[in-house]
Amino acid sequence: MSTNGEYDCIVIGAGVQGSFTGYQLAKRNQKTLLLEQFVLPHSRGSSHGQTRIIRKAYEQDFYTQMMEECYELWAQLEQEAGVKLYRQTGLVVMGPEDSQSYQLMKDTLQKNKVPIAILNRDNFCQHIPNVNLAVGYGAVVDITAGVLYADRALKTVQGQFVKFGGVIRDNEKVTDIKPGPVVTVSTSAGIYRAKSVVITAGPWANRLLAHTGLQLPLKVVKINVCYWKEKVPGTYNVKQRFPCVLLTECEEFKYHIYGLPSNEYPGLMKICYHMGSETDPDQRDKQTDRSDIDILQRCIARYFPGLVPEPAVVESCMYTLTPDHHFVLDRHPSHSNIVFGAGFSDLFRNTGRRPRGRPRTRWRDYISRLAWERLGIPQNELESVAGEREVWVNLLGLLPPRPDPGISG
């Protein structure tokens, strides 16, 4: 095994979070290495697939406010690379009018003055044909929402990363991380050193963090990504201006159900349950639970009369979840030059409190720390040097939406 260079920063994991982190670092003239254990592109993690939903409809204000900046950053990347990454379709949020989740999303959109349209059973079918709005349900349209072309976005940002001098090494599994003033990262093909390391490894985050003496309360689940055949081709097609759809939880299902207009496969609409069964990321395909598909079949039959209630195609994706389903972005408690991000897969549900022992995710805390680590701005000079808003905008480059950053769909 040979020693293959020294860097300002090594980013481990070339999914959407790691790739955008590397891209922002390279733009700031940081000599950056992006490591990926699989051959790129691949479908083993959480960032693959052609489409994701981008939206401002969240239960929490801070996500909605953060998305304002994220839309700007996506637009900047589109202009910079000359590639179309976003298509505005709108997002119809449906749910029991008296349910907490639906009301929170509606209130957050209104409070933050997001362009919306409120629909009821009298006018719903006029605007959203071939979808049933149940009795007692309300509907609100996040007009600015739409579809992100996920695979295209990942390829684009990786290309821009290389354009700005970044180095990508795929098919290199990290085998060891040795903390220190200079961090040593060993892989299946070489040894690298860097002043700082960022770990954005999704389902494999804890396996890498174990080398640093840290474990996070993360759970990995397998999602069945289902595509449903249109009875009449074109009924739910993106070219017919059919929107994305989000059903909030109700008595029938505990978690949200989301849908994207037919686009990836001709005549097939993607509709998925926003939860799955726990799995080992290295043994993903051995997990064969279909309870989420049973829920979806009942949902299709009730709400989408123009679809055949039997999935035509089923693919796989993995979510990495924290106990409260909010993501973690922090620095290592013992090694400040190691930063980690995990749990970006699910931003829907909120259980409120931060679990004891979980790293803090307060915005001001980690903005201040990352401003120092990423931009070289000491905390006491943060506002005088750049102003909090400008630093916020820059750091949001580390946090593109999921695609679920970001990230559902």
Side-chain angles (χ1 to χ4, degrees), residues 152-229:
R152 187 186 303 173
L154 198 58
K155 180 180 178 180
T156 298
V157 75
Q158 289 169 355
Q160 293 300 110
F161 169 67
V162 172
K163 178 180 176 181
F164 285 111
V167 176
I168 299 177
R169 293 189 66 90
D170 62 352
N171 199 28
E172 284 200 32
K173 184 176 182 178
V174 171
T175 57
D176 193 23
I177 301 171
K178 292 183 179 178
V182 174
V183 184
T184 301
V185 177
S186 300
T187 75
S188 54
I191 299 173
Y192 309 94
R193 294 180 175 85
K195 299 172 186 175
S196 61
V197 165
V198 178
I199 298 173
T200 52
W204 292 270
N206 265 337
R207 298 187 185 186
L208 292 171
L209 286 168
H211 296 296
T212 72
L214 180 66
Q215 289 289 273
L216 301 176
L218 301 176
K219 180 171 75 170
V220 178
V221 299
K222 176 187 173 183
I223 305 296
N224 288 310
V225 181
C226 299
Y227 297 83
W228 310 79
K229 185 177 180 180

Side-chain angles (χ1 to χ4, degrees), residues 338-360:
I338 297 178
V339 175
F340 53 85
F344 295 97
S345 300
D346 177 55
L347 300 178
F348 284 104
R349 292 179 58 80
N350 174 26
T351 57
R353 301 178 185 175
R354 172 176 61 90
R356 180 176 298 178
R358 174 182 166 185
R360 295 176 298 170

Side-chain angles (χ1 to χ4, degrees), residues 87-258:
R87 179 171 187 151
Q88 184 176 352
T89 64
L91 168 72
V92 182
V93 179
M94 304 188 301
E97 288 197 87
D98 59 355
S99 69
Q100 183 182 37
S101 180
Y102 174 77
Q103 281 299 327
L104 282 172
M105 286 194 188
K106 181 179 175 182
D107 292 347
T108 299
L109 289 167
Q110 291 177 318
K111 185 170 25 175
N112 289 280
K113 296 181 171 56
V114 177
I116 62 171
I118 297 175
L119 305 177
N120 54 46
R121 281 178 57 83
D122 295 330
N123 62 10
F124 183 83
C125 290
Q126 176 184 345
H127 297 282
I128 315 294
N130 302 298
V131 179
N132 295 330
L133 186 66
V135 175
Y137 273 43
V140 57
V141 181
D142 174 357
I143 294 173
T144 62
V147 173
L148 281 173
Y149 297 114
D151 280 346
R152 187 186 303 173
L154 198 58
K155 180 180 178 180
T156 298
V157 75
Q158 289 169 355
Q160 293 300 110
F161 169 67
V162 172
K163 178 180 176 181
F164 285 111
V167 176
I168 299 177
R169 293 189 66 90
D170 62 352
N171 199 28
E172 284 200 32
K173 184 176 182 178
V174 171
T175 57
D176 193 23
I177 301 171
K178 292 183 179 178
V182 174
V183 184
T184 301
V185 177
S186 300
T187 75
S188 54
I191 299 173
Y192 309 94
R193 294 180 175 85
K195 299 172 186 175
S196 61
V197 165
V198 178
I199 298 173
T200 52
W204 292 270
N206 265 337
R207 298 187 185 186
L208 292 171
L209 286 168
H211 296 296
T212 72
L214 180 66
Q215 289 289 273
L216 301 176
L218 301 176
K219 180 171 75 170
V220 178
V221 299
K222 176 187 173 183
I223 305 296
N224 288 310
V225 181
C226 299
Y227 297 83
W228 310 79
K229 185 177 180 180
E230 297 170 322
K231 294 177 181 177
V232 177
T235 302
Y236 300 95
N237 195 280
V238 68
K239 294 180 180 178
Q240 299 297 323
R241 302 181 63 82
F242 191 82
C244 298
V245 179
L246 177 63
L247 280 162
T248 64
E249 75 269 26
C250 64
E251 292 182 3
E252 300 171 61
F253 39 86
K254 183 179 178 182
Y255 297 94
H256 296 85
I257 289 173
Y258 63 89

Side-chain angles (χ1 to χ4, degrees), residues 270-289:
K270 184 199 296 189
I271 299 180
C272 307
Y273 190 51
H274 207 61
M275 184 49 65
S277 298
E278 195 162 2
T279 190
D280 179 336
D282 289 325
Q283 304 290 329
R284 182 193 71 181
D285 296 331
K286 291 184 178 180
Q287 199 276 85
T288 58
D289 180 67

